[in-house]
Amino acid sequence: MEVLFDKEYLRQLYERGKCNDKKHRYQPQVVKKYVKVVDLMFCSPNTLSLAKYNSLHYERLIGDKAGLSSLRVNDQYRIEFEEHVKEGETVATICNITELSNHYQ
């Protein structure tokens, strides 16, 4: 699967473990797990193969976030991404790291 980053801070978090933007600071264990999940995305042929990892809670979102899919980083955060197929290959564009509300936990 090809993985793209919608925002520069998402790429920096993946490549360097931190970003220049003070607004997007995360605990080291969150960043470490984010990198693991993105690595798994790179190694997977498509998003359906991610569904076999129960801990990731892969799902297509509905409502105001229709068109996005998500994978859990941990109990508090998830990665939201758009997915589409280009020339037979799945392309996932990571859009956001979102904090989950307390009522999801």
Side-chain angles (χ1 to χ4, degrees):
M1 170 180 345
E2 181 180 354
V3 179
L4 306 173
F5 298 91
D6 187 42
K7 298 171 183 76
E8 186 58 30
Y9 84 90
L10 295 167
R11 177 183 305 285
Q12 290 174 358
L13 279 176
Y14 176 70
E15 293 175 350
R16 299 185 351 215
K18 60 182 180 178
C19 61
N20 299 333
D21 185 355
K22 290 184 180 186
K23 181 181 176 184
H24 299 102
R25 300 271 172 111
Y26 299 96
Q27 295 293 322
Q29 66 271 20
V30 173
V31 174
K32 185 177 179 180
K33 185 69 191 265
Y34 167 73
V35 170
K36 279 184 160 182
V37 172
V38 174
D39 282 343
L40 195 57
M41 291 174 75
F42 273 114
C43 294
S44 299
N46 55 44
T47 52
L48 290 180
S49 63
L50 296 170
K52 70 181 179 183
Y53 300 100
N54 292 333
S55 64
L56 295 179
H57 298 279
Y58 168 75
E59 64 179 328
R60 289 184 182 221
L61 302 177
I62 57 174
D64 61 338
K65 294 193 177 208
L68 293 176
S69 298
S70 75
L71 295 170
R72 289 277 178 96
V73 172
N74 62 15
D75 288 339
Q76 189 178 4
Y77 293 96
R78 72 177 173 196
I79 298 171
E80 294 178 349
F81 60 96
E82 295 175 341
E83 57 182 283
H84 63 277
V85 177
K86 180 176 129 183
E87 298 176 7
E89 182 180 19
T90 301
V91 178
T93 304
I94 298 175
C95 300
N96 205 356
I97 299 177
T98 304
E99 187 169 1
L100 297 171
S101 300
N102 288 334
H103 69 276
Y104 285 116
Q105 297 179 14

